Amino acid sequence: MNVTTNTRAQRMNFWEKLYLPEIAKGLALTFKTMFRPKLTRQYPEERWEPLGSYRGRPVLVLEEDGERCVACGLCSRVCPALAIEVQAAETDRDKERYPSKFEINMLRCIYCGLCEEVCPEEAIVMSKDYDIVFHSQEEAIFGKDKLLVPIARLQERLEFLRQYK
Ligand code: SF4
Ligand code: SF4
């Protein structure tokens, strides 16, 4: 150990041994950085608005006549984290079936997007929501009250899916 340290010290020239040029270089870099534009965001006052390609928490698409979901259960089957629970019920709407219960356990969700990929109706999509807070395991289970989002707020993601899915 000492042998290596001594060898390195011996290789240093006069200026390197003084350390002053290196300190000056460090200070110069500090001053240069001080005048660059600041990248720090004052969250939550300054919110970041992601693009349509962003994969935030999965949500259900809500149309004017109700949810798009037809409760086929594909998303639940494909979910690698077993986070989705769907219960189907009959309805007299054109779609015949709807989810009487739809829950996502957000403690399990890994934001993989497979549910969105497999859905034949584009009824579940990855939203822009990234600040998700809960204080207990029960609160982390999102039901339809939290999952249903009006289609107007999901246009960017739906457009992205139309182009790249
Ligand atoms: S994003 Fe992935 S982990 Fe989360 S609910 Fe969908 S399939 Fe499951
Ligand atoms: S969200 Fe899509 S895949 Fe999941 S149950 Fe509804 S229609 Fe089927």
Side-chain angles (χ1 to χ4, degrees):
M1 190 78 177
N2 276 341
V3 175
T4 317
T5 314
N6 289 340
T7 314
R8 286 182 65 190
Q10 281 164 5
R11 280 205 304 265
M12 288 167 89
N13 63 32
F14 172 74
W15 291 108
E16 283 171 339
K17 280 182 186 163
L18 268 185
Y19 292 110
L20 288 176
E22 296 308 311
I23 290 170
K25 268 195 230 168
L27 284 174
L29 183 65
T30 305
F31 281 119
K32 212 167 104 188
T33 310
M34 275 169 68
F35 297 105
R36 281 190 191 153
K38 291 186 177 61
L39 297 174
T40 310
R41 189 179 292 272
Q42 301 301 321
Y43 180 86
E45 287 78 19
E46 285 176 37
R47 286 184 59 81
W48 170 60
E49 185 63 24
L51 298 174
S53 54
Y54 185 76
R55 278 206 315 235
R57 75 171 176 107
V59 297
L60 290 174
V61 179
L62 178 65
E63 292 181 311
E64 273 179 17
D65 60 341
E67 60 265 82
R68 261 193 188 177
C69 175
V70 291
C72 67
L74 276 178
C75 54
S76 173
R77 276 191 220 160
V78 81
C79 177
L82 303 177
I84 304 178
E85 190 182 336
V86 191
Q87 270 173 25
E90 289 191 2
T91 163
D92 49 11
R93 281 164 52 199
D94 294 345
K95 287 175 182 169
E96 292 178 13
R97 278 156 56 101
Y98 83 105
S100 55
K101 178 181 176 184
F102 198 113
E103 284 180 352
I104 300 183
N105 185 337
M106 293 310 296
L107 283 172
R108 289 188 164 204
C109 179
I110 51 170
Y111 300 80
C112 64
L114 284 178
C115 49
E116 175 190 67
E117 211 169 306
V118 81
C119 179
E121 301 286 327
E122 274 190 352
I124 186 165
V125 296
M126 306 305 279
S127 69
K128 291 183 178 185
D129 291 357
Y130 53 83
D131 46 358
I132 298 160
V133 181
F134 31 76
H135 300 99
S136 65
Q137 293 197 354
E138 289 74 30
E139 273 183 42
I141 297 170
F142 285 14
K144 279 169 57 173
D145 56 325
K146 288 187 185 151
L147 291 176
L148 284 169
V149 173
I151 191 167
R153 279 174 42 203
L154 301 169
Q155 280 309 319
E156 235 180 299
R157 183 66 186 180
L158 290 168
E159 188 53 42
F160 171 81
L161 293 176
R162 253 165 243 140
Q163 281 186 36
Y164 299 105
K165 193 174 170 184

